Amino acid sequence: MSSLVKNIIRFCLFILVQVYILNQIPPLHQLVSPYLYFLFILWLPFRMGRRTQLLFAFALGFALDSFTKTYGLHSAPCVLIAYIRPFLINLLITREGAELNYNEPSIQSMGFTPYFTYITILTFVHHMFLFFLEALQTGGFLYFIIKALFSTAVSLVLIVLTELLFSRKQRFRTNTI
Amino acid sequence: MRNIILFIRIYFTFIFFLFLMGLSLYLLFTYNKYHNAVYSEVANEITGKISTQYNNVSYYFYLKRTNDSLVKANERLYNMLRQDYSIPDTTNKISVDTLKVDSLTTYRRFLYMQAKVVRNSVSQPNNYIILHRGKNQGVQKDLGVIGTNSGVIGTVVEVSNNFSVVMSLLHSQSNISGRLKRGGETGTVIWDGQDRNILLLKDITKSAKINQGDTVITSGFSDKFPEGLPIGYVKDIINDKSSSTYTVRVQSAVNFETLQFGYVINNLQKEEPNELLKKVKSK
């Protein structure tokens, strides 16, 4: 399956899961709102152009916003993490040429610790910015920081579960240059 | 000039990022003006259709609860029937001889239309509800919506052909006028974005006597809701020493998490007072 088709299917699935499962379940607490949809951005291929990544991220956020009727609220954090992503990968990747030999970020391609750091940082940035934008409208800045921390923790658990349930097999490719 | 083009070429990704970010923030902060845009109407139709499919499944899980609430609503209506009350003196007949008063239709003020809730959210800071009834079925903007137990749900903010979007009471910009049923003091009902099903009734004078469990009803000052519909029940009072008014925490009458049906209220006599007011102002 080509990478583009795979990503489009993923796009639809993440949006549907976020809108019809995670937004629908009665939340554990008012401080916790689980998010998973932005994992789509973290899973985009290494070698996709940076502008294409930004466009994909904007489209993802905007699709979710169309469902929740909050135009711009989710697309802004998505664009932000899509912009930070390449810098972070360059910093964290330790193995020489891993971004050439593997297709997309995963435990297998980056190693456990760098991959987990990568996920944690981007999740935290996403949640901080999202709840900051919410707080601008509703107020309560201490509330927003606590909410960002708790929701990051819950989202990380969800991401780890997703990684375990849907293991993505990565082929090691040689002669890539 | 060459340097400028070079600069743009080097930083094109960054400029593109700034452009997308600016677009998102622009949409976010101008959404209220953006209501009328064509995109939002098309998107409303599409997301409405997907939500209807989803609701067809999830509705089964709520059938029992919905049934119970409808039976209760029926019971309440039966109790309001005329035949339940005995009229003390039937010999005195009030006869009406004008044609106009006789016909109910010209004097009807509020028309209720049932609508299925196809999408509903409670976890966002700004919550919207989507109803499967739109322009073609007689819904307009700025109509009030109530639940099956006649508790207030919200206000219609956006209408497309077959769906309409309702701003629920759980919205940071929601603002309706409420009154304490016992004492008659009026205030404003808002939501602070934190606790679901807990609303705030602001600007109640400190002379008011408030008990836990008192009913808060609509005041009838707005043209959206008739007077006396329940908004919620007093939970506790936040006594701010520095202000001269109470803020009351109110448990909402409607359980927003289990909404399945709503009634859209059309005020048929909305224009007349507005025109009158306009006439006075223009003098």
Side-chain angles (χ1 to χ4, degrees):
Chain A
M1 197 162 29
S2 91
S3 161
L4 184 69
V5 176
K6 198 163 77 181
N7 274 312
I8 288 173
I9 294 173
R10 248 184 218 168
F11 184 99
C12 300
L13 281 180
F14 271 122
I15 288 291
L16 290 178
V17 165
Q18 180 65 43
V19 173
Y20 289 114
I21 297 175
L22 292 179
N23 284 359
Q24 292 291 328
I25 52 170
L28 305 164
H29 190 264
Q30 46 162 320
L31 283 172
V32 176
S33 47
Y35 281 104
L36 189 65
Y37 74 105
F38 61 92
L39 193 58
F40 170 78
I41 301 168
L42 309 190
W43 280 1
L44 284 176
F46 283 123
R47 292 196 295 171
M48 184 180 256
R50 288 182 59 194
R51 269 160 257 156
T52 329
Q53 285 180 21
L54 284 174
L55 258 186
F56 258 109
F58 182 76
L60 181 81
F62 201 68
L64 185 61
D65 285 334
S66 302
F67 278 98
T68 57
K69 306 283 167 209
T70 47
Y71 296 102
L73 182 66
H74 294 96
S75 26
C78 282
V79 171
L80 180 69
I81 58 170
Y83 184 72
I84 302 175
R85 200 186 92 113
F87 300 112
L88 207 59
I89 288 176
N90 273 340
L91 270 180
L92 288 171
I93 222 155
T94 45
R95 279 180 234 164
E96 195 66 34
E99 68 265 49
L100 297 174
N101 290 329
Y102 288 100
N103 201 12
E104 45 191 50
S106 69
I107 297 173
Q108 201 183 353
S109 66
M110 289 171 77
F112 181 77
T113 321
Y115 182 66
F116 201 71
T117 322
Y118 161 76
I119 288 218
T120 314
I121 291 176
L122 287 186
T123 310
F124 187 63
V125 169
H126 172 270
H127 282 55
M128 272 308 247
F129 195 41
L130 178 66
F131 294 130
F132 172 70
L133 288 178
E134 277 186 9
L136 283 183
Q137 294 175 316
T138 55
F141 279 86
L142 184 71
Y143 178 74
F144 113 77
I145 292 172
I146 299 171
K147 190 172 176 185
L149 286 174
F150 276 102
S151 302
T152 306
V154 172
S155 299
L156 279 178
V157 171
L158 279 175
I159 289 174
V160 170
L161 279 179
T162 319
E163 292 282 352
L164 292 176
L165 281 175
F166 306 97
S167 62
R168 293 167 295 146
K169 287 207 185 66
Q170 301 271 319
R171 250 182 320 159
F172 184 84
R173 300 179 306 167
T174 47
N175 300 331
T176 44
I177 302 163
Chain B
M1 190 65 206
R2 192 169 155 271
N3 283 340
I4 294 175
I5 294 172
L6 211 64
F7 174 82
I8 291 176
R9 271 186 61 186
I10 292 172
Y11 289 103
F12 187 70
T13 313
F14 184 63
I15 292 167
F16 190 60
F17 162 69
L18 285 185
F19 166 72
L20 285 180
M21 185 58 94
L23 184 65
S24 318
L25 294 181
Y26 170 77
L27 289 177
L28 181 61
F29 293 122
T30 55
Y31 174 59
N32 287 333
K33 287 173 214 151
Y34 189 67
H35 271 348
N36 299 319
V38 183
Y39 169 77
S40 118
E41 196 163 302
V42 175
N44 190 12
E45 280 288 302
I46 296 170
T47 54
K49 275 199 183 112
I50 302 173
S51 296
T52 315
Q53 294 297 324
Y54 175 81
N55 185 261
N56 280 342
V57 178
S58 71
Y59 185 30
Y60 279 103
F61 299 105
Y62 290 102
L63 273 181
K64 202 165 169 238
R65 219 175 293 167
T66 311
N67 225 351
D68 288 350
S69 75
L70 291 177
V71 168
K72 266 186 205 138
N74 248 345
E75 184 199 21
R76 207 170 47 82
L77 292 176
Y78 274 130
N79 282 329
M80 288 203 279
L81 282 182
R82 198 122 172 238
Q83 66 215 33
D84 293 343
Y85 300 94
S86 54
I87 299 159
D89 189 359
T90 47
T91 50
N92 278 342
K93 249 191 182 170
I94 302 168
S95 60
V96 179
D97 64 351
T98 47
L99 283 171
K100 203 95 194 258
V101 176
D102 220 22
S103 67
L104 267 172
T105 46
T106 53
Y107 277 80
R108 177 188 271 281
R109 182 151 180 227
F110 292 104
L111 178 70
Y112 292 74
M113 300 174 280
Q114 65 87 15
K116 180 89 187 64
V117 174
V118 292
R119 192 173 148 63
N120 173 21
S121 81
V122 288
S123 52
Q124 307 290 323
N126 291 328
N127 293 298
Y128 295 94
I129 294 160
I130 299 182
L131 300 178
H132 199 165
R133 183 186 262 274
K135 233 184 271 167
N136 294 348
Q137 291 86 26
V139 178
Q140 304 149 21
K141 264 190 184 180
D142 289 331
L143 300 187
V145 181
I146 60 170
T148 44
N149 63 348
S150 76
V152 176
I153 292 179
T155 312
V156 177
V157 288
E158 196 177 311
V159 189
S160 64
N161 285 337
N162 297 306
F163 295 94
S164 50
V165 177
V166 177
M167 178 170 92
S168 91
L169 287 187
L170 308 182
H171 189 291
S172 59
Q173 286 165 18
S174 147
N175 180 353
I176 65 169
S177 144
R179 169 191 291 169
L180 285 165
K181 196 176 180 185
R182 177 197 292 259
E185 290 84 1
T186 41
T188 318
V189 177
I190 57 160
W191 189 55
D192 59 351
Q194 302 197 352
D195 234 347
R196 264 161 292 129
N197 296 337
I198 301 287
L199 307 163
L200 296 181
L201 175 64
K202 283 177 75 168
D203 303 335
I204 295 291
T205 53
K206 288 210 167 166
S207 63
K209 283 203 177 68
I210 310 169
N211 292 339
Q212 204 181 30
D214 280 0
T215 314
V216 180
I217 56 175
T218 51
S219 66
F221 291 156
S222 84
D223 53 7
K224 291 173 201 155
F225 298 103
E227 194 184 341
L229 297 176
I231 297 173
Y233 309 100
V234 173
K235 195 162 182 249
D236 49 18
I237 302 163
I238 304 167
N239 192 356
D240 185 2
K241 294 244 166 63
S242 63
S243 101
S244 62
T245 54
Y246 282 134
T247 299
V248 183
R249 274 152 53 87
V250 175
Q251 173 83 39
S252 70
V254 176
N255 184 357
F256 285 96
E257 283 164 40
T258 58
L259 288 180
Q260 283 297 335
F261 278 103
Y263 296 94
V264 181
I265 307 177
N266 193 353
N267 184 350
L268 302 172
Q269 295 180 8
K270 196 190 232 166
E271 276 84 32
E272 212 177 307
N274 288 348
E275 272 168 26
L276 210 58
L277 200 66
K278 220 186 272 169
K279 223 184 260 175
V280 173
K281 275 182 184 163
S282 66
K283 261 180 191 168

